[in-house]
Every structure is written in structure tokens, then in C-alpha cells.
């Protein structure tokens, strides 16, 4: 059940205050200005080091002044904790509470500034003294500030992470407290030391000898170590903060946290999100624009399209997946002004940029937005960036645009604060152990795994097919049964139990599409004799025959390693469909796996070799494609015209079709018989379409600039070039 903020309003806010602050009086004056611009919420970032500079002496007066002024203006408050910015007395009292690198060095940075990184990584929360001190502070904060009813939500950690982290793959923390907790966790997981030894293929004689790797080598313990730190440790530290707030907040407001740009392919954020009442994400669309392996972005329209599909929709869809269904999802830090990083000063967002970003967030399920921030930053690295307003002056094009859009959303505020996207037909499978397998492997092949999954999303996005990201624990809980099809992207390392659940999904009637070499290694990096996961030959109806690597087309490689000798890689390769796919083809990328069908039927061939099969298993169907389809989605596209068509035909067999109207793509949100239809025009030309009302009678053009005509059963509307438009539909209450 989603929390209700401000009597059902859509939380529409902006960050206004954090330490150090040069002008608290100016912030207080600005609040009435923000109220006039239509904001119903402000964000405050509270700092432990600022409010407990001496142990046991709490001073919340500055934060309280901002909360109190907001209360006078009937504005909600989203209050975020910055516990990683610990006070100086903590480091003196507990010199062993620093994070420790694998070589024994302390991460020693006790300076109390919020910039950079909000004090991250902060103290190690496995240190009992540091954790107890933090718990006391949070309890006092919740009791003191919690008296104000206008606090709408607490945030326990903004942009969750250990960064900055200069230890590479192994990361934190090798302090005695965390190593002891790691051993406790391993005992709970494996039970007997003999079971751990058998799994890791190692020979410890006592639990006290067990240690994670201390050099960056692909070793079996790495999988458990990174899962423990990324998923278990991080979720546990979110949990103690959440518990302290819940036990001491007199009004039991919801507690959440938020990630920076979500890590596609990783499942850690599923664990983080489920600790709180809901989850959020940061969105800075102009910070990145594409990937170095992509085709070069050579126009403003192409750059804006990347901001729409990747920086907004991919990131928000991923956050929605790890957040879980029917929960609030906030754009907890939403870019308001230019990116500034010391001397690198970015382009100011235009009113149209803000329009498309906001509509893209709404399309993917955002139920609240908080901008970063109301005025540009003042300090060094981020100075003169990020604000809706300049340091002097009470208006800007950005602020005027945000005000207009915010008022339009507030007119439908209860709907957008509650409405959810319908469940997708396709699950794009995320597996944390596979992520860590690639993370540990030689080189930077984690980028290959992430890039390929990103490419899958891009292909489905432009086909108008919504996907839900689904974690391995969701699969274990039976969630996969709700989807017509599931996609197993670059599944080189697989856990046997996980693969057995995927097989059961197929037998029960599902469609599983797997890329090359599923389970060539097991979860801990041991190569399987059959070069497929245990049970893979039966599921896919084929045996592995041989494997080749194929060059990229078009000259210089982007993701392929250097050949060790001439002829090591096959030339650029296109594989051909047969049977019902006889008129289709697709381009092979990276791997080409040749197969020997048994019970399976060939659907793809190359030079008379079978490289793709389909197999009927129980009530369902499995498909094994002997290459990776994601790589070519955004790179070498002049050589990749056929892959989208093949994928569209393949999915159509399972009854999966995109919501496309001409070139327009549609996303929907639903609540109590009403729907929002958000249309995306991915082309550089304006487009008009006439479509059925599908039984709805009342239509509201959210921003008042797209609806052209409405008849009894159809609407005609237009969408600007590389843009979005939103219509809200309902039934006539009088009929």
C-alpha cells in the first residue's frame, strides 16, 4: 500500500538546505517563493557532524527553523540523513571505526564537508560503538524533529554506496568487526565448514581462518564476499537507521532511501529497496550521454533521445523493478540546473529538457519528484551548478517551466501519486551472482555484461515493449509466473537452483529466451563439462558443439579484445533464420555458439551450422540463441537492421506485442479505472496520430499542448519531435 502524502498530493519538491550553508536567512526567505511557484514539499539534508559536534549535545535548531517555516507555509518536508558525515569526536573516540582496505590500510578521511560524496563512505557500521552512537543520534532527531507533522518522509541514505572506493573490485571492509560478521553469515549460509570447503574447493581447518580474497583474482570466495558487502552489509546498515526512525518517530512517517544511477545487471538494489517503505533514484540526464561503445551521438535530437530512453526511462524502470509493485517511487534527486564539476560546466537544461525528463519519469511510474536544487550550488566542485534558480534573482526559464508542469501534475495529483504502470509482459532477468562473476573476471568484462543488458532494454524500448526487471530472489518467490516471457542475458555463470526454477517456469507454460552458453560456468566459476548448466541440454533440446568469437563489423573494435594471433576470431557474422523465421536474420556479437539439436528445432543457422534452437518443454517453450543480441542494439547499427525484426517476430509467437502507434511508443499508468497514456516520439519530426479511446470518455491533455480533436470513440493528438505527451483518461461519471 502506497503512503499518502499531503492528503493525496503528488510530492513536488526541491532541495533547499544542507550544511555548510552560507545564507540560512536567504533559504528561509526563498520558501515562500517556492510556495508561490507551486511546490508542496522541500528537501532538507541533515548532517550528523553539524548537529552533534560534541557527544550527547544535540542542536537541531537550524534544521528545525527550516522545517518550522515550511510548516507555516503548509509545505511538506522530505528529510534526508547524512550519517556518513560523522562528527570529529567519533573518529577520536573510535579510531578503529574506519573502513579498511584489503591491504590493511584505513580509509582515513575524517574531514566534515558534505562535498564531495556526502561524507561517504563514513564509519564502518559493523563497529559497535559507531553504530550505537549513530542510533542514539537518529533516535533523538526523530523525537525532536518528528514533532512536526509536515515531515512527509525520512531518507536514511541518499545515493547509497561505498564510494569513493579506491580498492578496486574487492572493496570494503576488512576491519575485524566486518570480517567477524562475514564469518557469521557464512556459518548461517553453509552450516558446516566442510560444506563451505566443498563449495569453494578450499581447505580451511577452522572458521576463524576463513577470509575473503585480498588480491583481485577471480576466486570462488569473491562471489560470497561481494554479495555479503553489497547486499547484506548495505541492507543491514539501512535497516538499523530505518529501525531507529520507526521506533522514535511519533507519527510513523514512511522511511526510504535512494540510489544514484542504478547499476543495470546488479541485484543489490532489490535488497536495499525492500528495507524501507519505498525507494527512489537520482536522475541527472545531462551527466552522461550514451556509452563509449555506442555509435557517436552527432545531433542535439540524438542526445536528447538518449536522455529520454536511457537516463530517464531505463533508470526509472530499473528502480521500479527493485522497488516492487504498488509502492511509491520517487525521483529523489532530479536535475534542475547545469551539471558542474569544478571547471567542467555543463549545458543549462532548457524548459523542453525538463518537460521530457519529467514526462519520462511519470511514464515509468514516478510518484514524487524532488529537484536538486532550488538555487545553484555555492561550493567549489559543484559551484554554479544544479539549481533551478541562479544565486541572485527570483525567476528563470527553468523555474517557470517546472512551475507550469508542476501545477498541471498537481491538478491530477492524487492520480499520479497512486497510479502504477501495468505489469509488463516480459521479465528481463537480473542475477547478482552473475554480476559478481563478471565483476571478478579478468579485465573489465562487467562492462560487457551491463552493456549487453542495456542493449536488450534499448531494443525492446524502441519496439514499444515495456519490460520489468526481475531479480533472482523474485524468481525464487514465484514472481516469474506472472510473465509471458523471460530473457536471460549473457548468462555465462548460473547457479543450479536458479536454473532449475527457470526450467520449471518453462514447463509451466512460460517462454525463456537465453543467449549463448547459459551456465558455461557455475555460480562459483567452475566450468561445466557440458558447457551448459546442469539440465540445459534437456531444457533447450540441444548440446553445445563449439564456440567461436566473432569480430565486430566496420573496422576498429569497441568491445572485442585484441586478437592474440591472426585468425583467432571469426570475421563479422550474420546468422540466418529458418522455418518460420526464414526471411529474417540477425548479427552475431562477441560469441557464436554452434549447437547440436536433440529434441530442439533449429531456428538460426550459419554456414549449415545450427546457432539457435527452440524446444517445447511441458506447456512452455525455451529458445537458445547462440550469440548476444544486446551489443549491436546501439553500436554498428548500419549493420544491424535485421535483429530488431527477428526479435519482434520471436516475441510475437508468445503473444507479446509492443504498444506502438505508427512511430509513437505508448506507456500507461492505471488507478481506479483511470489511465494516463504517455506517448514518446523518438523521431526528429513532429507526429500526429488518431487512435481509439478504448472505451474511455473523458480526456485531459496534461500539459495542454497535444490534444487536437476528440470524437465519441477516438482522439487525434500530436507529439513534438523527440518529445513526449501525456493524456489522462477516465470514464464519464454521469454515464
Amino acid at each position: 500500500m502506497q503512503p499518502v502524502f499531503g492528503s493525496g498530493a503528488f510530492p513536488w519538491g526541491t532541495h533547499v538546505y544542507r550544511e555548510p550553508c552560507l545564507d540560512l536567512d536567504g533559504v528561509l526567505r526563498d520558501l515562500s517563493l517556492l510556495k508561490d511557484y507551486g511546490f508542496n514539499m522541500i528537501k532538507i539534508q541533515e548532517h550528523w557532524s553539524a548537529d552533534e559536534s560534541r557527544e550527547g549535545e544535540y542542536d537541531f535548531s537550524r534544521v528545525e527553523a527550516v522545517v518550522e517555516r515550511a510548516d507555516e507555509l503548509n509545505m511538506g518536508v522530505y528529510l534526508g540523513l547524512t550519517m556518513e558525515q560523522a562528527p570529529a569526536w567519533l573518529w577520536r573516540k573510535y579510531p578503529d571505526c574506519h573502513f579498511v582496505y584489503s591491504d590493511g590500510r584505513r580509509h582515513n578521511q575524517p574531514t566534515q564537508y558534505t562535498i564531495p560524496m556526502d561524507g561517504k563512505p563514513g564509519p564502518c557500521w559493523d563497529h559497535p560503538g559507531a553504530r550505537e552512537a549513530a542510533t542514539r543520534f537518529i533516535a533523538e532527531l526523530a523525537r525532536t524533529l518528528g514533532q512536526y507533522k509536515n515531515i512527509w518522509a525520512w531518507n536514511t541514505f541518499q545515493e547509497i554506496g561505498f564510494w569513493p572506493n579506491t580498492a578496486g573490485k574487492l572493496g570494503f571492509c576488512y576491519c575485524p568487526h566486518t570480517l567477524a560478521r562475514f564469518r557469521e553469515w557464512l556459518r548461517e549460509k553453509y552450516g558446516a565448514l566442510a560444506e563451505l570447503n566443498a563449495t569453494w574447493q578450499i581447505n580451511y581447518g577452522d572458521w576463524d581462518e576463513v577470509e575473503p580474497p585480498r588480491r583481485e583474482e577471480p576466486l570462488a570466495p569473491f562471489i560470497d564476499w561481494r554479495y555479503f558487502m553489497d547486499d547484506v552489509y548495505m541492507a543491514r546498515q539501512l535497516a538499523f537507521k530505518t529501525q531507529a526512525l520507526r521506533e522514535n518517530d511519533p507519527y510513523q512517517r514512511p522511511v526510504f532511501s535512494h540510489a544514484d544511477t542504478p547499476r543495470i545487471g546488479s541485484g543489490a538494489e532489490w535488497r536495499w529497496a525492500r528495507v524501507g517503505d519505498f525507494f527512489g533514484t537520482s536522475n541527472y540526464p545531462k551527466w552522461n550521454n550514451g556509452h563509449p561503445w555506442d555509435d557517436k551521438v552527432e545531433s542535439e535530437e540524438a542526445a536528447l533521445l538518449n536522455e529520454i530512453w536511457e537516463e530517464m526511462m531505463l533508470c526509472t524502470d530499473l528502480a521500479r523493478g527493485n522497488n516492487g509493485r504498488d509502492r511509491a517511487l520517487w525521483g529523489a534527486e532530479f536535475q534542475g540546473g547545469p551539471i558542474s564539476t569544478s571547471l567542467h560546466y555543463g549545458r543549462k537544461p532548457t524548459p523542453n529538457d525538463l518537460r521530457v525528463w519529467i514526462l519520462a519519469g511519470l511514464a515509468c511510474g514516478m510518484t514524487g519528484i524532488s529537484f536538486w536544487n532550488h538555487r545553484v550550488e555555492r561550493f567549489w566542485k559543484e559551484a554554479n551548478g544544479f539549481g533551478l534558480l541562479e544565486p541572485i534573482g527570483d525567476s528563470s526559464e527553468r523555474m517557470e517551466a517546472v512551475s507550469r508542469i508542476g501545477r498541471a501534475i498537481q491538478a491530477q495529483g492524487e492520480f499520479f501519486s497512486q497510479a502504477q504502470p501495468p505489469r509488463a509482459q516480459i521479465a528481463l532477468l537480473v542475477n547478482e551472482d552473475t554480476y559478481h562473476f563478471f565483476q571478478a573476471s579478468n579485465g573489465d568484462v562487467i562492462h560487457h555484461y551491463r552493456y549487453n543488458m542495456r542493449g536488450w532494454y534499448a531494443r525492446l524500448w524502441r519496439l514499444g515493449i515495456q519490460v520489468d526487471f526481475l531479480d533472482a530472489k523474485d524468481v525464487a518467490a514465484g514472481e516469474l509466473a506472472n510473465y509471458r516471457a523471460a530473457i536471460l542475458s549473457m548468462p555465462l555463470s548460473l547457479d543450479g537452483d536458479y536454473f532449475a526454477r527457470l526450467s520449471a517456469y518453462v514447463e509451466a507454460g512460460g517462454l525463456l529466451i537465453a543467449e549463448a552458453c547459459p551456465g558455461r560456468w557455475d555460480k562459483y566459476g567452475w566450468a561445466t563439462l557440458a558447457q551448459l548448466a546442469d539440465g540445459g541440454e534437456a531444457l533447450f533440446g540441444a548440446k553445445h558443439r563449439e564456440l567461436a568469437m566473432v569480430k565486430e563489423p566496420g573496422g576498429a573494435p569497441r568491445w572485442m579484445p585484441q586478437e592474440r594471433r591472426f585468425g583467432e576470431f571469426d570475421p563479422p557474422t550474420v546468422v540466418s533464420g529458418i522455418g518460420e523465421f526464414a526471411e529474417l536474420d540477425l548479427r552475431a556479437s562477441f560469441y557464436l555458439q554452434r549447437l547440436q539439436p536433440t529434441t530442439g528445432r533449429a531456428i538460426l543457422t550459419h554456414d549449415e551450422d545450427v546457432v539457435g534452437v527452440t524446444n517445447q518443454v511441458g506447456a512452455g517453450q525455451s529458445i537458445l540463441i547462440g550469440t548476444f543480441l544486446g551489443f549491436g542494439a546501439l553500436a554498428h547499427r548500419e549493420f544491424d537492421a535485421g535483429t530488431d525484426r527477428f526479435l519482434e517476430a520471436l516475441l510475437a509467437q508468445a503473444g507479446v506485442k509492443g504498444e506502438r502507434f505508427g512511430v509513437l511508443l505508448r506507456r500507461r499508468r492505471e488507478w481506479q479505472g483511470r489511465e494516463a497514456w504517455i506517448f514518446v516520439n523518438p523521431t526528429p519530426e513532429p507526429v500526429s496520430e488518431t487512435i481509439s479511446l478504448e472505451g474511455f470518455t473523458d480526456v485531459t491533455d496534461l500539459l495542454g499542448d497535444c490534444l487536437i480533436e476528440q470524437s465519441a470513440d477516438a482522439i487525434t493528438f500530436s507529439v513534438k519531435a523527440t518529445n513526449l505527451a501525456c493524456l489522462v483518461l477516465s470514464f464519464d461519471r454521469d454515464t
Side-chain angles (χ1 to χ4, degrees), residues 407-428:
R407 292 182 193 280
I409 294 173
Q410 288 306 329
Q412 307 285 339
E414 187 176 22
F415 173 80
F416 281 112
S417 69
Q418 300 293 321
Q420 293 285 308
R423 190 185 297 275
Q425 300 176 79
I426 293 181
L428 191 51

Side-chain angles (χ1 to χ4, degrees), residues 567-639:
E568 183 176 27
F569 300 158
D570 283 2
T573 301
V574 173
V575 302
S576 302
I578 61 173
E580 65 269 45
F581 304 108
E583 303 300 318
L584 301 171
D585 58 39
L586 61 85
R587 183 167 64 80
S589 292
F590 205 86
Y591 275 179
L592 186 62
Q593 182 184 23
R594 295 176 173 89
L595 302 164
Q596 179 184 332
T598 53
T599 59
R601 176 170 54 85
I603 59 171
L604 289 167
T605 62
H606 176 65
D607 289 342
E608 300 184 355
D609 291 319
V610 174
V611 294
V613 295
T614 181
N615 191 40
Q616 191 73 30
V617 180
Q621 184 182 11
S622 67
I623 293 173
L624 175 56
I625 297 171
T627 189
F628 304 133
L629 301 192
F631 281 94
L634 299 159
H636 309 300
R637 288 192 64 185
E638 69 272 29
F639 302 100

